[in-house]
Amino acid sequence: MDFICNFPFFSILISLFSGTICSVLPAKAAKAVNRLVIAAVGLMSAVLLLYLLSTGESFIYWMGHFPAPWGNEIRAGVLEAGMALFFCVIMYLSMAGGAHKLPDEVVESKHSLYYILVNLLLSSLLALVYTNDMFTAYVFVEINTISACGLIMIRQVGRTIEAAVRYMIMSLLGSGLLLFGLCIMYDLTGHLLMSNIKESVALIMANGEYQIPLIVAVALMCIGLCIKSALFPFHAWLPDAYGYSTVSSAAILSSLVSKGYIFLLIKIIYRVIGFDIFNSTRIIDVLFVFGLMGMIFGSLSAIKENDIRRMIAFSSVAQIGYIYMGFGMGTQAGMVASIFHILSHAATKSLLFIAAIGLTDVSGGSRKFIDLTGAAYRNKWAGVAFTAGSLSMVGIPLFSGFISKLLFAQAAVQVEGKMLASLIVLGISTVLNAVYFMKTVIRIYTSEQDAPYKSITFRDRKAYTVVLVCSILLNVILGVSSQPVVDMIGQGLAMFA
Amino acid sequence: MYLILSSIFFPILAGLFLLIRYRTPLSGEKRAIDRKALTTLTGIFLLITAALVIAALLHAEEGFTLFYLTKTLPIYFRIDSVGRLFSMLAVIVLPCAGFFSFEYMKHEERESRYYGFYLLAFGVLNALCSAGNLITFYLFFELLTMTSMPLVLHSCSREAVMAGLKYLFYSLCGAYAALFGIYFLYQNCDSLAFTADGALRASSIVEHGGFLLVTAFVMLLGFGVKAGMFPMHAWLPTAHPVAPAPASAVLSAVIVKAGVLAIIRVLGMFGRDFLRGTWVQSVWISLTLVTVFMGSLLAYREPVLKKRLAYSTVSQLSYILFGLAVMQETAFTGALCHVLAHGFIKASLFLCAGAIIYKTGKTRVGELRGIGKEMPLTMWCFTIASLGLIGIPPTGGFVSKWYLALGSLKSGLPVFDVLGPVILLVSALLTAGYLLPPVIHGFFPGADYDYGSLQNKEPCRLMTVPIFILTTASVFIGLFPDSVSGIIAAAFTGR
Amino acid sequence: MIVSVILIPFITGILVPVIPFQKRWQKEVFLETAVVLNSILVWYLLLHHSDSTFLLAHFTGNLNISFRVDGMSMVFAGLVSALWPFATLYAFEYMTKEEHENVFFLFYTLTYGVTLGIALAANLLTMYFFYELLTLVTVPLVMHTLTREAVLASRKYLYYSLGGAAFAFLGLIMVIVYGSTTDFILGGVLDPAKTAGKNNVLLLIYVMAFLGFGVKAAVCPFNSWLPQAGVAPTPVTALLHAVAVVKSGAFAIIRLTYYSFGTDFLQGTWAQDVVMTIVMFTIIYGCSRAVKETHLKRRLAYSTISNLSYILFGAVIMTPLGLVGALTHLVFHAVMKITSFFCAGAVMHQTDRHYVHELNGLGYKMPRVFGIFTISALALMGVPGLAGFISKWNLAGAAVESGNPLAWGGIACLLVSALLTAVYMLTIVVRAFFPGKDFDYSTVSDIRDPNWKMLLPLFVFTVCIVLFGVYSQPIVDFFMSVAEGAV
């Protein structure tokens, strides 16, 4: 076993411990440590990814060299490594892009706490990505919830506390359901390691016994994770949580946290239940329908919204709907499309959140559309970035959003019964996306000659602008040369089986 | 070839020359235009054109293709007997009315525009008469509308402009309906060149016979608009009264006949045999008879002289159309005779009305008491022309109506063979009813009339001579119908 | 080579705001030279085209961005590149009265490149890509004045266009999945083996994609953006909203119908009936609205709506002759409508009058402009001897020949529309030349024809209208060979 195989373990560990270290460091140092950790983890994930691509096989890493069922396992395949790398990149961009706002948003004394939470969040995300053990997954789900709550709450404004409480309740409900499902599963199979459960599940299905409890367990786990990832109609917590937290938090929450849960669900589908068995249940139909509804209703809510941050938040609901629609198709192609959309949405959403803050900054801090009039002239790069993000969301070629739309549509055509519904909803949803994103874009490019706000140029905010440009580039790269990414996803899914 | 072309393009170029040379000055205020030079020039142009037309008529030529609009659409000219007949009408009426207008238009503004478009319309009419296929015909048919519209709205008053637009839109409506048919004819004929005995392919008749009948009907209705056929006659009584009198004369005598010419062409294209006895014929005859009767009735009730004449035109044109609709040789002869007779008569009547308006400013029939004493020559011409229109021998109207009635009776059509002549007779009575009162009041104003106030208001020669020529022509047709019978017989067979 | 004609406008456009021009004429010369050179290059390319496909980049899977010159691209690219230099010349004069000139010319020139991209695209994906791009680069042009009206118009334009593209996208997917390739091949690329049993779904998606691309071609009920977009400066409305943008929609539909789905697959199906009915309705609807409209440019915009559907009517007849009719009208209408728009623009530029009832008596003051306007009006009505007649003749001839009774009804629609065209165009002419007896000429005393930069394009286009009207043989023959796939 190569040294590189230790990397997943290392990265979880580093981020976990750096969190602890941050608590004793001053804010500036904590920030440095945080960045360093994210970068290091990203680097390790990249190396791991290259390694996996060269070997072409996934590996299982025994923590402390105890074999199952006593030991704890970590599994790394192309998909996991890629996802970890991507999460790090997005996280880095989000942190860097929101850094200049932190002093305004969070009181000085809480800064180190903020970085602790971010590091914890990263470690939990990595654990969710890498784990091969259901119970470990559950533990890190909880850690994730807590750190996310902290990130929302840390701004300590009335609305954020309310939002955090709401998020807490919904999330705990979700994890509770997940735990129920897990218990039943453990009851049925007697295992906690994913690979072991899968074998038992296959046996159960073959014998035809205990099928209903099994499906109940699967359903419970699914619903739990759906709540946590804000699938319509469980999205009530989302707009406030994303809309009022700090910029970086919002970007991270919307692009990573919910995606972490979704990735866990994918893992459960492939590694725990088995893709074919999962597809034979009616659960996918339910996911499909809710996905479609999310696409429509999320966008409709976004259209009604008069607050740019909340609008972007509602747009997330719609995008999550896309992802679940992909699951609901029950085909490999649908799954590939969903995973690609996880990437593309994460890249776009963080970009939008960061760009939005640039726009509100030059509009007296107001997020109301009326005040944003002409904001793009006052902060040129933020305007460009927001436009790019919007175009990607609408699905204009050259941007990542187009590729996910393309993949979804291609996947949809191959599913006999669901083809028309998904295609039409896809079309309608694009129209709705266009309505609210383009409304905003035009608003920010409508000049108002005597706006009382100051402009921000490149020289004022170099780091911020660089982050914007990087995010746009990331988006465009995903949009232009998507083939390697898609291939990688396919390879990763193959490794899952 | 060059004679025909020059008879078409000379007046068009001359008209354009007048329009550009004497265009309204840019500054807007009136510029003193050398009126004498303008009228002399126009007169010369008119005479040259007339000479060219006559020369072209005399030198019967082979048809020739000017150029190809698309690969299968030649612009083709050929003068056949029908065209010759209509040309004859135009070449007499247009110069007469033109000379009349030199006096009449004295006090109008923008005379040059009027003369310019007048010449343009003359050229287009010549082209229409010598067109050799349906596309060429259609081309000039549209142009005729465009060039004659400025004549109608010349006075630029609000009613005139509205009337001009009404004329334009009605005509276009008709032209487009006809174009609808042309599209289908094009597909179902080997060529669009005119013929008198049907150009439809036999296979097409078998396959799409029913639809082709619809097409024929649409085309008849469409071209019928120009000929004032019910239900699309409403433009005529609006347009005529507002136009200057010589323009109304030309409009009523010649331009509306373009519709008749068109219908003759359409009949030829579809072939009488194809249409005879079908629902198209029945409906068409009914429409013409309705128009004949209704036109006369409306004219009878109309107090304004020019409007009354306009309604009369509506009615008389449908005499012609009735003759065509019967699809029988004698009736056809009657119809073509009536084209000439009505052309001369109506031009003369309108010019008389114009002379009255010019001299006295009276427009309503009721005001015309004693006018015969003031303008004897004009009123005598008016009387003779009126008698002609009523159909009293030996005028042109009698001959044509005789043939019409005879043809109708010979045709053997159910119901219409008798109903037609009856309605023609009733209408003739009504014609007498609306044309004779002005004559009677004009010459016999009654015992209580104040003869002392009478003045000699006879207009100058420029006005009386054209009226006289036209009246004479109408009588000539009646006295010597044989002079045109040969050409009409040739027209029936399509030579 | 083929990419360079798309890139040159891009580079030129970007250079306009970058280069610090000292004088206005320097900028004009720079722009005009670039545009003319590019047009020459395009024509050279079209005349010396090879059959090979130029592959620019792999996109994803077997999808790639590639370019090729075929018959259809020759028609559209030739048209666009012929009109653009004149429109640019006209724009120089027109824009003297407007602000933000640099931004305007930046996007105006970009649009040239994007439109050529649409024309030269070798497959559906490439075309879709440039199609979306076209929306984006033209929005700033609509928004140009930044008034509330302009913002609303551009918003609507964006919603409609992007929304339409979303449904056109479904068509793209169908071709990707069920076609043997996405390249444009006359006769369609659908693979019968794959489509078996899925006909109705495919037809439904075709109708959706038709309407999707139809948004740009202003098919009813998705037409309301076009009249509103008339707030843009006239060179934009004239060139983009009468030619480049809207014709891209029509072009895309032709590509979709003839080169992707294939007429064999579509002909005689319910989908054909549906789209034909829609198109026929639009023909009438556009005209009727034009008659009611009193704003000059908006009236012309409604007229465009109706005329675009003429093109689509030809396209949905789905026979080679229908394609010929569509192409004829595509080209001829471009020339006619750009002429009338430029006349309207000249009037607005010289007099600042925007409504039809304000045009009384202007014919005497601007005889050249209104003379040309009259010719374009007659041509649009379809008076023989002018370009409009030929295209209508071809359209109607194709409809008759197709033997489809619905198409026969379409001929009636064409003619009703021609009548309405006469109503809304000739009332303007009559107003201008026959202002009425009591008209006060002092109200128009200081108005005159515009200068040569505006008049030159007008004269050239008028000559074209007449020329096409009397001698259209070579060009129609060329369209025929395009429709038969011989080019």
Side-chain angles (χ1 to χ4, degrees):
Chain A
M1 183 165 287
D2 287 310
F3 176 70
I4 295 177
C5 296
N6 292 315
F7 278 8
F9 178 62
F10 285 173
S11 41
I12 297 175
L13 218 57
I14 291 174
S15 42
L16 205 56
F17 283 112
S18 66
T20 335
I21 295 166
C22 281
S23 62
V24 295
L25 289 176
K28 263 228 162 91
K31 180 180 168 187
V33 167
N34 169 264
R35 295 280 175 83
L36 204 65
V37 165
I38 300 176
V41 171
L43 202 64
M44 282 196 283
S45 311
V47 173
L48 182 65
L49 179 62
L50 287 177
Y51 168 75
L52 285 168
L53 283 174
S54 64
T55 60
E57 285 180 345
S58 62
F59 63 84
I60 287 178
Y61 178 82
W62 294 342
M63 296 238 235
H65 297 279
F66 294 113
W70 298 281
N72 204 334
E73 285 185 1
I74 279 179
R75 180 186 175 281
V78 170
L79 207 52
E80 282 98 337
M83 211 47 106
L85 168 64
F86 190 74
F87 280 5
C88 288
V89 171
I90 298 292
M91 196 158 215
Y92 192 91
L93 288 175
S94 305
M95 289 310 293
H100 68 280
K101 282 298 282 182
L102 201 61
D104 303 345
E105 290 173 330
V106 179
V107 289
E108 184 72 38
S109 58
K110 293 273 184 345
H111 278 193
S112 36
L113 177 61
Y114 186 73
Y115 291 112
I116 300 173
L117 290 172
V118 172
N119 283 356
L120 272 183
L121 191 72
L122 178 64
S123 74
S124 61
L125 279 174
L126 290 171
L128 287 184
V129 167
Y130 282 125
T131 182
N132 197 28
D133 181 299
M134 283 304 281
F135 194 71
T136 319
Y138 173 70
V139 169
F140 279 98
V141 164
E142 291 294 17
I143 295 178
N144 201 332
T145 310
I146 290 163
S147 49
C149 263
L151 280 177
I152 296 170
M153 208 156 51
I154 201 153
R155 217 175 146 201
Q156 287 186 313
V157 190
R159 307 246 358 204
T160 59
I161 293 175
E162 188 198 328
V165 171
R166 208 183 254 188
Y167 178 63
M168 190 72 159
I169 294 171
M170 292 298 279
S171 268
L172 288 179
L173 186 64
S175 19
L177 291 174
L178 178 66
L179 187 60
F180 279 165
L182 201 59
C183 289
I184 298 174
M185 198 61 110
Y186 184 61
D187 224 23
L188 288 172
T189 61
H191 294 289
L192 281 175
L193 276 184
M194 290 185 177
S195 22
N196 295 353
I197 301 178
K198 192 177 176 187
E199 284 164 20
S200 308
V201 167
L203 215 62
I204 290 172
M205 290 308 284
N207 292 341
E209 289 173 332
Y210 301 116
Q211 287 207 4
I212 293 175
L214 180 74
I215 288 175
V216 169
V218 175
L220 283 175
M221 287 193 284
C222 279
I223 295 173
L225 289 170
C226 287
I227 293 176
K228 295 185 83 81
S229 53
L231 173 64
F232 179 88
F234 310 119
H235 65 283
W237 58 269
L238 181 140
D240 283 350
Y242 292 4
Y244 296 109
S245 51
T246 67
V247 193
S248 307
S249 314
I252 294 172
L253 284 171
S254 69
S255 36
L256 301 185
V257 174
S258 51
K259 304 297 161 7
Y261 297 129
I262 292 173
F263 191 74
L264 181 62
L265 182 59
I266 296 174
K267 262 194 127 157
I268 290 176
I269 291 171
Y270 274 89
R271 304 272 308 146
V272 177
I273 308 160
F275 191 55
D276 298 328
I277 294 173
F278 183 72
N279 286 346
S280 64
T281 63
R282 305 300 293 273
I283 296 172
I284 59 162
D285 296 338
V286 177
L287 289 183
F288 181 72
V289 171
F290 282 120
L292 294 187
M293 284 165 73
M295 287 160 73
I296 301 286
F297 288 102
S299 296
L300 286 179
S301 310
I303 290 176
K304 281 189 293 190
E305 203 45 69
N306 193 25
D307 172 328
I308 188 167
R309 288 270 295 276
R310 283 173 62 92
M311 183 200 85
I312 304 173
F314 269 119
S315 147
S316 291
V317 176
Q319 304 300 323
I320 301 273
Y322 275 80
I323 297 174
Y324 277 98
M325 177 185 79
F327 287 179
M329 285 171 194
T331 59
Q332 188 81 7
M335 200 53 102
V336 170
S338 288
I339 294 174
F340 188 87
H341 197 62
I342 292 177
L343 305 182
S344 113
H345 175 237
T348 314
K349 220 12 100 49
S350 55
L351 170 65
L352 280 172
F353 270 117
I354 296 170
I357 199 67
L359 296 174
T360 53
D361 272 355
V362 290
S363 309
S366 166
R367 308 137 148 216
K368 296 274 172 278
F369 281 123
I370 188 85
D371 298 315
L372 288 173
T373 310
Y377 293 112
R378 301 193 286 271
N379 189 345
K380 296 218 164 55
W381 282 102
V384 170
F386 192 86
T387 311
S390 302
L391 295 181
S392 173
M393 283 278 118
V394 178
I396 304 291
L398 279 194
F399 294 101
S400 58
F402 176 70
I403 303 292
S404 35
K405 217 167 78 172
L406 194 71
L407 292 173
F408 274 122
Q410 273 178 296
V413 177
Q414 290 157 7
V415 187
E416 192 77 18
K418 293 171 181 167
M419 162 171 154
L420 217 52
S422 29
L423 285 183
I424 290 173
V425 172
L426 205 58
I428 294 174
S429 147
T430 311
V431 175
L432 296 176
N433 280 345
V435 169
Y436 58 85
F437 275 116
M438 289 304 128
K439 182 178 77 181
T440 320
V441 168
I442 289 198
R443 166 70 72 180
I444 62 176
Y445 275 104
T446 309
S447 86
E448 199 180 341
Q449 308 299 340
D450 48 349
Y453 313 115
K454 261 176 57 188
S455 303
I456 290 179
T457 58
F458 174 66
R459 284 191 188 78
D460 301 337
R461 294 252 174 89
K462 282 189 185 130
Y464 172 73
T465 314
V466 169
V467 167
L468 286 181
V469 172
C470 289
S471 303
I472 299 175
L473 280 180
L474 181 65
N475 220 313
V476 171
I477 290 170
L478 276 180
V480 172
S481 59
S482 58
Q483 198 53 45
V485 181
V486 174
D487 289 343
M488 225 182 281
I489 293 171
Q491 210 176 340
L493 282 179
M495 284 181 186
F496 267 169
Chain B
M1 167 169 179
Y2 294 108
L3 273 175
I4 294 182
L5 280 186
S6 54
S7 75
I8 294 166
F9 288 105
F10 174 75
I12 289 179
L13 291 177
L16 288 176
F17 170 74
L18 285 184
L19 284 178
I20 292 166
R21 170 69 183 77
Y22 292 99
R23 69 173 181 275
T24 318
L26 282 176
S27 53
E29 72 267 18
K30 273 183 219 161
R31 191 173 64 183
I33 290 173
D34 186 357
R35 215 181 152 264
K36 203 161 185 185
L38 175 65
T39 48
T40 318
L41 205 58
T42 314
I44 294 170
F45 285 150
L46 279 174
L47 288 177
I48 295 177
T49 311
L52 283 171
V53 174
I54 291 168
L57 289 183
L58 290 178
H59 293 80
E61 285 178 88
E62 283 298 298
F64 63 93
T65 301
L66 187 58
F67 66 95
Y68 285 88
L69 212 53
T70 72
K71 200 185 303 181
T72 45
L73 289 184
I75 294 297
Y76 175 73
F77 292 100
R78 190 172 76 92
I79 297 190
D80 61 359
S81 303
V82 182
R84 200 167 286 147
L85 196 83
F86 280 83
S87 245
M88 276 162 58
L89 178 66
V91 85
I92 294 174
V93 172
L94 268 113
C96 284
F99 280 100
F100 180 89
S101 48
F102 293 152
E103 178 68 20
Y104 186 85
M105 301 298 289
K106 216 173 190 171
H107 305 299
E108 299 267 343
E109 283 178 36
R110 301 182 195 286
E111 258 181 287
S112 59
R113 186 177 71 197
Y114 175 83
Y115 296 133
F117 280 108
Y118 194 84
L119 280 167
L120 281 180
F122 198 175
V124 172
L125 268 171
N126 291 339
L128 213 52
C129 295
S130 46
N133 67 14
L134 207 47
I135 280 302
T136 319
F137 188 87
Y138 178 77
L139 163 69
F140 289 104
F141 194 77
E142 287 246 40
L143 286 183
L144 183 65
T145 308
M146 303 292 162
T147 49
S148 54
M149 180 191 71
L151 300 180
V152 172
L153 49 68
H154 183 78
S155 74
C156 271
S157 64
R158 195 171 160 66
E159 307 92 79
V161 173
M162 294 320 284
L165 287 178
K166 191 171 182 181
Y167 167 55
L168 179 69
F169 296 143
Y170 267 75
S171 294
L172 285 177
C173 189
Y176 288 136
L179 186 60
F180 179 83
I182 296 179
Y183 290 141
F184 285 92
L185 270 184
Y186 173 72
Q187 289 289 336
N188 291 306
C189 297
D190 290 322
S191 111
L192 286 181
F194 290 135
T195 146
D197 37 341
L200 291 175
R201 276 192 289 266
S203 59
S204 298
I205 293 177
V206 176
E207 276 173 51
H208 308 296
F211 191 78
L212 283 171
L213 282 178
V214 177
T215 316
F217 186 64
V218 170
M219 286 185 86
L220 290 175
L221 271 188
F223 282 130
V225 171
K226 197 86 174 188
M229 189 168 73
F230 177 82
M232 300 289 278
H233 61 281
W235 66 271
L236 242 158
T238 322
H240 280 66
V242 295
S248 328
V250 171
L251 209 58
S252 185
V254 187
I255 292 179
V256 290
K257 299 288 190 309
V260 176
L261 178 59
I263 285 179
I264 295 175
R265 300 302 195 191
V266 171
L267 273 186
M269 293 301 287
F270 281 98
R272 294 185 189 85
D273 298 332
F274 176 64
L275 294 175
R276 192 176 289 130
T278 61
W279 61 269
V280 176
Q281 191 188 18
S282 319
V283 176
W284 187 25
I285 293 188
S286 319
L287 282 179
T288 56
L289 289 177
V290 167
T291 322
V292 166
F293 184 68
M294 187 201 62
S296 299
L297 207 60
L298 287 172
Y300 187 71
R301 292 161 44 93
E302 179 58 55
V304 177
L305 180 58
K306 270 174 83 182
K307 214 164 183 180
R308 180 176 282 192
L309 293 178
Y311 278 120
S312 152
T313 302
V314 172
S315 159
Q316 297 295 325
L317 278 171
S318 278
Y319 276 69
I320 303 171
L321 296 185
F322 172 75
L324 298 177
V326 169
M327 298 183 203
Q328 196 271 347
E329 186 166 4
T330 320
F332 184 83
T333 314
L336 284 195
C337 256
H338 204 58
V339 167
L340 288 180
H342 173 253
F344 295 134
I345 291 171
K346 206 32 91 44
S348 154
L349 284 175
F350 265 113
L351 290 187
C352 289
I356 293 171
I357 292 169
Y358 179 74
K359 274 298 184 187
T360 68
K362 293 175 181 169
T363 55
R364 300 173 81 86
V365 177
E367 299 166 340
L368 297 182
R369 280 178 71 191
I371 194 88
K373 305 288 179 193
E374 292 182 324
M375 311 168 71
L377 184 59
T378 313
M379 276 317 276
W380 268 109
C381 289
F382 189 90
T383 313
I384 295 171
S386 299
L387 294 178
L389 208 59
I390 299 163
I392 293 173
T395 55
F398 168 73
V399 178
S400 48
K401 285 184 188 178
W402 173 261
Y403 279 125
L404 280 176
L406 204 61
S408 168
L409 290 171
K410 270 192 203 166
S411 69
L413 288 170
V415 186
F416 293 114
D417 60 344
V418 184
L419 185 64
V422 169
I423 289 185
L424 294 193
L425 264 179
V426 173
S427 163
L429 276 178
L430 283 169
T431 311
Y434 63 75
L435 280 179
L436 291 183
V439 173
I440 295 168
H441 291 306
F443 284 109
F444 310 104
D448 55 341
Y449 190 72
D450 176 16
Y451 285 89
S453 65
L454 283 178
Q455 297 161 328
N456 181 15
K457 289 191 177 167
E458 198 66 70
C460 73
R461 296 242 174 83
L462 219 47
M463 282 191 159
T464 47
V465 171
I467 296 177
F468 186 74
I469 294 174
L470 288 171
T471 316
T472 318
S474 75
V475 178
F476 180 82
I477 299 271
L479 288 176
F480 307 103
D482 287 346
S483 58
V484 290
S485 64
I487 202 170
I488 291 175
F492 185 74
T493 53
R495 265 181 289 122
Chain C
M1 181 80 179
I2 209 165
V3 179
S4 63
V5 299
I6 297 167
L7 280 181
I8 289 175
F10 271 85
I11 296 165
T12 315
I14 291 165
L15 283 181
V16 169
V18 174
I19 300 177
F21 289 106
Q22 301 295 326
K23 298 239 172 53
R24 195 161 183 282
W25 65 266
Q26 291 171 336
K27 183 164 59 192
E28 291 181 3
V29 168
F30 170 72
L31 264 172
E32 187 66 31
T33 319
V35 169
V36 168
L37 275 182
N38 201 47
S39 292
I40 293 172
L41 209 59
V42 171
W43 275 84
Y44 177 81
L45 193 72
L46 298 184
L47 296 176
H48 298 86
H49 73 99
S50 62
D51 233 9
S52 61
T53 305
F54 178 84
L55 180 71
L56 181 66
H58 281 288
F59 200 61
T60 169
N62 53 357
L63 303 177
N64 38 43
I65 302 281
S66 47
F67 301 97
R68 195 165 80 91
V69 179
D70 69 351
M72 273 298 288
S73 5
M74 286 169 83
V75 174
F76 194 47
L79 172 72
V80 168
S81 56
L83 295 180
W84 217 281
F86 294 107
T88 311
L89 193 64
Y90 180 89
F92 291 146
E93 179 60 23
Y94 191 88
M95 294 310 288
T96 49
K97 282 197 176 175
E98 305 265 341
E99 291 172 29
H100 314 301
E101 230 190 352
N102 283 342
V103 181
F104 174 83
F105 281 114
L106 160 65
F107 285 104
Y108 196 65
T109 320
L110 281 187
T111 312
Y112 188 15
V114 174
T115 315
L116 285 178
I118 292 180
L120 299 174
N123 59 37
L124 200 53
L125 181 84
T126 315
M127 191 183 77
Y128 178 80
F129 167 60
F130 280 102
Y131 186 82
E132 291 267 37
L133 216 54
L134 184 64
T135 311
L136 300 179
V137 296
T138 48
V139 166
L141 294 173
V142 177
M143 249 173 81
H144 185 76
T145 55
L146 288 177
T147 55
R148 188 173 160 65
E149 222 186 346
V151 170
L152 288 180
S154 54
R155 199 147 95 184
K156 191 169 213 173
Y157 172 48
L158 256 184
Y159 294 169
Y160 273 65
S161 281
L162 292 181
F167 284 96
F169 174 77
L170 301 184
L172 168 68
I173 292 298
M174 285 296 154
V175 173
I176 291 176
V177 175
Y178 290 120
S180 44
T181 161
T182 56
D183 288 352
F184 292 128
I185 295 167
L186 189 62
V189 295
L190 289 188
D191 188 347
K194 291 186 197 165
T195 58
K198 301 214 169 83
N199 283 1
N200 276 329
V201 177
L202 275 165
L203 291 175
L204 180 64
I205 299 286
Y206 168 76
V207 172
M208 285 183 178
F210 180 93
L211 290 175
F213 280 131
V215 169
K216 274 240 167 70
V219 163
C220 198
F222 307 113
N223 52 24
S224 65
W225 66 269
L226 185 58
Q228 261 198 306
V231 296
T234 303
V236 175
T237 3
L239 185 58
L240 305 187
H241 298 149
V243 184
V245 170
V246 290
K247 298 251 153 59
S248 300
F251 179 81
I253 285 179
I254 294 177
R255 283 292 202 196
L256 189 76
T257 309
Y258 286 82
Y259 291 79
S260 290
F261 275 79
T263 46
D264 293 342
F265 178 74
L266 295 169
Q267 206 166 30
T269 60
W270 59 267
Q272 189 191 15
D273 295 344
V274 168
V275 292
M276 198 180 273
T277 314
I278 294 172
V279 163
M280 278 157 55
F281 180 74
T282 313
I283 291 178
I284 301 291
Y285 175 81
C287 284
S288 327
R289 287 299 299 267
V291 171
K292 266 181 68 184
E293 182 62 59
T294 55
H295 187 277
L296 180 55
K297 265 169 78 178
R298 278 205 288 274
R299 178 177 281 194
L300 292 178
Y302 277 117
S303 153
T304 308
I305 291 174
S306 154
N307 274 283
L308 285 168
S309 280
Y310 283 30
I311 303 174
L312 296 185
F313 175 67
V316 299
I317 292 173
M318 299 187 186
T319 57
L321 277 180
L323 185 55
V324 172
L327 291 179
T328 327
H329 203 63
L330 185 95
V331 173
F332 289 3
H333 171 251
V335 182
M336 298 186 286
K337 195 41 79 55
I338 204 170
T339 313
S340 45
F341 259 120
F342 277 1
C343 288
V347 171
M348 288 166 63
H349 181 79
Q350 296 295 102
T351 69
D352 238 2
R353 298 177 186 210
H354 301 262
Y355 285 88
V356 171
H357 55 79
E358 296 171 331
L359 302 179
N360 281 3
L362 286 184
Y364 292 104
K365 291 299 177 176
M366 307 173 72
R368 295 190 183 82
V369 169
F370 273 95
I372 290 169
F373 187 82
T374 311
I375 293 177
S376 74
L378 295 180
L380 277 173
M381 283 162 53
V383 172
L386 297 172
F389 177 76
I390 303 292
S391 54
K392 270 185 204 171
W393 181 266
N394 285 349
L395 283 172
V400 175
E401 187 259 1
S402 74
N404 181 347
L406 194 61
W408 292 356
I411 300 178
C413 287
L414 286 187
L415 294 169
V416 171
S417 148
L419 184 68
L420 292 172
T421 309
V423 173
Y424 64 74
M425 290 303 267
L426 289 187
T427 43
I428 298 176
V429 174
V430 169
R431 265 180 193 286
F433 283 109
F434 305 97
K437 231 188 172 83
D438 45 355
F439 181 69
D440 179 10
Y441 281 92
S442 62
T443 54
V444 294
S445 53
D446 54 346
I447 289 166
R448 52 185 41 83
D449 270 328
N451 71 3
W452 68 273
K453 278 186 221 163
M454 279 194 166
L455 283 178
L456 177 71
L458 284 175
F459 278 124
V460 173
F461 293 146
T462 315
V463 170
C464 288
I465 291 177
V466 177
L467 196 66
F468 287 148
V470 294
Y471 188 61
S472 59
Q473 198 47 53
I475 189 160
V476 173
D477 279 345
F478 173 70
F479 293 150
M480 196 68 222
S481 59
V482 169
E484 283 165 350
V487 178

